[in-house]
Amino acid sequence: MTIKQFKDSPLAHYSYAIVSNGEMALVDPSRNPMDYYRYAEEQNAKIVAVFETHPHADFVSSHLQIHEETGATIYVSEKVGADYPHKSFDEGDSFKLGDVEFKAINTPGHSPDSITVVAKKDDETALFTGDTLFIGNVGRPDLREKAGNMKAKRIDLAKQMYHTIQNKFTDLPDEALVYPAHGAGSLCGKNMSDASSSTLGNERQGNWAFKEQTEDEFVEEILKDQPFIPHYFGFNVDINKTGPENVQRTKWANKLQLNVDEVEEGVTIVDTRDEEKFKKGHLPNSINIMARSEKDKYETWLGAIVQPKEEFYLVLDSIDNIEELLERTAKIGYEKQVKAVITLSSEVSKKSDDFDLEDFKKNQENYTIVDIRNNGEVAEGKIFEDAIAVPLHELRENSTEIPSHKPVVVHCAGGYRSAAGSSILDNKFENTKVYDLSDAIKEFK
C-alpha cells in the first residue's frame, strides 16, 4: 500500500492518505482539503473514505467537506455521536480499499471515543493512532472536561489509556508502522519525539507508557506536567462533532476594510505583523500575535488568547498575505469571527514606548516584571526572582493582579510571546508604560 504523510507544521499535525488500486482513504485530514485533492490527482485515485480517529481539539477537520465534494464515506466511532453523515467504525468493523483492509480498535484514553485505524496488506501493517499513541508518549487525557457535551473526567480517561496501552495493541506485530496525528510541539500531549513515525516494536521498547507499571503509577505520570489548554480546544471538539462548514466559503466571506476610521471601537484587533512594525504604529486595542512564518505558532496563540466566538479585526502586513492568514485562522475555526481584514499605512497613531534596556539592567527594582511563560516553565526556574508570573493564555483575564505604579516589563522564554503579552497589558494600563523585553531575554538567562 502507498501511504503519504502530510504535515501541518504550526500545529504539529500529521494527516494521511492511503492509496490502493486507484482508490484513496484519508485519516484525520486538515481543514483545507486541497492538498489531498492534488495528491488524488497525482495518483489518479478516487477518494472514497475518510477516517476520523476522534473529534480533534486543536484543529478543525475537513471530513464533512470532503464527503460533500467527493462522496467519500466518513468512518468514525459510534461513541462520538456524530451529527454528520457517517458510518460507525468500531472494533469488529472493517472496510476494504483495493488490496488494503482497514479495521478499527477502540482505544479510549485521550478521549472516550478514540479509535486506532489498522491498515493491512499481506505482511504490511500500519497503525493510524490519532492522539492515542504518539512517538515516545501517549495523548493527554485532560481535554474533555470542558469540551461541550463530551465531558469526561481526566482520571477516568487516564485509567482508560492505561488499559488501552496494556491490552489493545497486544496482538499486533512489532514491525507494524505507527503513524500518529501529532508530533513534537503539539499541545495534545507532552514530551513527544521529533520523529514522524515509528514501529510498534520501538514504542514497546522506548515509550514509557508500555513499561511495566501499576495503574496508579501510570495515572500519576500521564497527568503531571501536561501543557496548558487553549480556550479554543473545546470549541473545536464541538465543531468536529457537528461537522465543519466548507472552508473555501467561510474564509472568503470576510471583507477587506481599507478605511481604518470605520473600525468599531472596543472590538479586539489581532495584528499579525512583526513586532518591530507593530511597535512603530498600530491601532488601539491591538494584540500583536505575529504570523511571520510557519515557525510562529499563530494558530495556537490566537486560540489561546482570543475566546471562541469573540469578534476581532485581522491586521495583515500586506494584502498579499490575506489568503495565508485567513487559511491559518480557519484551521482553528475562527475565520467566522473575523469582522474585517485590514492593512495599515505607516501613519498609525498608537506607538509603543521605546525601551531603555541599559536602564533596566541597572535598575530592575524600578520596574514591575511580568513573566508570561507557562506554569511548567516557571516551575523549572524563574529568570527574575521578583517577577509576577501570569501565563500568556490567562493574561487578558488575570491582569488585575499586576501592580501599575511602576513601568511594566514583559518577558517570555525567547521573545515571541512577549510581543503579545506586552500589547495586552498596554491595552489594560492607560497610565502605565509597558515594555516588551523581546529577545533581549536571552541576555538574562
Side-chain angles (χ1 to χ4, degrees), residues 9 47 55 57 69 172 184 221 263 375 380 382-383 439:
S9 294
I47 300 173
E69 292 178 337
L172 293 164
E221 176 63 31
V263 171
N375 292 331
E380 291 176 1
K382 282 191 166 186
I383 299 173
D439 57 4

Side-chain angles (χ1 to χ4, degrees), residues 75-347:
Y75 294 88
V76 65
S77 172
E78 184 180 25
K79 297 178 185 295
V80 170
D83 297 328
Y84 49 80
H86 67 280
K87 189 169 184 177
S88 296
F89 199 60
D90 294 284
E91 282 185 38
D93 295 327
S94 62
F95 166 75
K96 198 77 181 291
L97 178 94
D99 296 327
V100 180
E101 184 176 33
F102 291 87
K103 291 185 177 180
I105 306 174
N106 291 105
T107 50
H110 172 71
S111 67
D113 42 36
S114 289
I115 59 172
T116 289
V117 178
V118 182
K120 291 196 72 172
K121 179 191 175 186
D122 301 327
D123 294 332
E124 294 179 83
T125 303
L127 309 178
F128 301 95
T129 55
D131 289 13
T132 297
L133 177 59
F134 293 134
I135 311 307
N137 217 307
V138 290
R140 63 192 296 180
D142 59 339
L143 296 183
R144 286 298 184 88
E145 293 177 331
K146 298 179 181 178
N149 60 4
M150 298 295 290
K151 292 183 177 65
K153 297 297 182 185
R154 65 182 66 190
I155 293 176
D156 291 340
L157 283 174
K159 290 179 179 179
Q160 290 181 48
M161 182 67 86
Y162 174 75
H163 290 284
T164 286
I165 297 301
Q166 289 288 313
N167 303 314
K168 292 290 188 172
F169 299 103
T170 307
D171 296 332
L172 293 164
D174 278 345
E175 60 270 19
L177 296 170
V178 176
Y179 291 113
H182 290 292
S186 167
L187 291 176
C188 290
K190 61 179 180 179
N191 302 328
M192 287 180 245
S193 167
D194 289 331
S196 60
S197 63
S198 182
T199 65
L200 190 56
N202 285 341
E203 294 309 299
R204 284 169 172 153
Q205 289 292 318
N207 191 320
W208 74 269
F210 282 98
K211 292 179 180 176
E212 187 174 333
Q213 58 198 304
T214 66
E215 181 180 81
D216 288 343
E217 289 170 337
F218 181 93
V219 169
E220 181 182 1
E221 176 63 31
I222 195 175
L223 289 179
K224 74 180 184 184
D225 302 329
Q226 287 290 0
F228 74 98
I229 302 174
H231 296 309
Y232 80 95
F233 269 24
F235 176 63
N236 276 195
V237 169
D238 286 343
I239 289 176
N240 284 319
K241 177 184 173 296
T242 303
E245 295 183 56
N246 182 298
V247 70
Q248 275 72 33
R249 285 198 293 266
T250 56
K251 75 178 182 181
W252 288 114
N254 289 290
K255 69 174 182 175
L256 182 64
Q257 187 162 322
L258 298 176
N259 186 356
V260 296
D261 295 332
E262 295 177 5
V263 171
E264 187 178 323
E265 190 175 344
V267 176
T268 298
I269 297 167
V270 174
D271 193 322
T272 64
R273 297 174 300 156
D274 181 78
E275 60 183 328
E276 188 174 329
K277 289 185 178 180
F278 178 86
K279 288 169 183 173
K280 287 179 180 177
H282 54 267
L283 296 172
N285 205 31
S286 291
I287 302 174
N288 188 201
I289 307 176
M290 294 185 284
R292 301 160 299 187
S293 71
E294 283 195 340
K295 293 180 180 179
D296 288 342
K297 290 190 172 292
Y298 162 77
E299 295 88 336
T300 296
W301 290 109
L302 175 66
I305 294 169
V306 176
Q307 293 280 353
K309 302 185 180 178
E310 177 186 352
E311 284 190 322
F312 60 93
Y313 291 99
L314 186 64
V315 174
L316 313 180
D317 184 45
S318 165
I319 197 64
D320 291 337
N321 300 333
I322 187 169
E323 182 163 6
E324 177 189 354
L325 264 296
L326 286 175
E327 178 90 7
R328 295 184 70 172
T329 302
K331 285 185 200 174
I332 63 166
Y334 271 32
E335 76 280 7
K336 293 175 74 175
Q337 297 168 217
V338 177
K339 197 169 178 66
V341 180
I342 302 169
T343 56
L344 300 177
S345 71
S346 58
E347 300 299 322

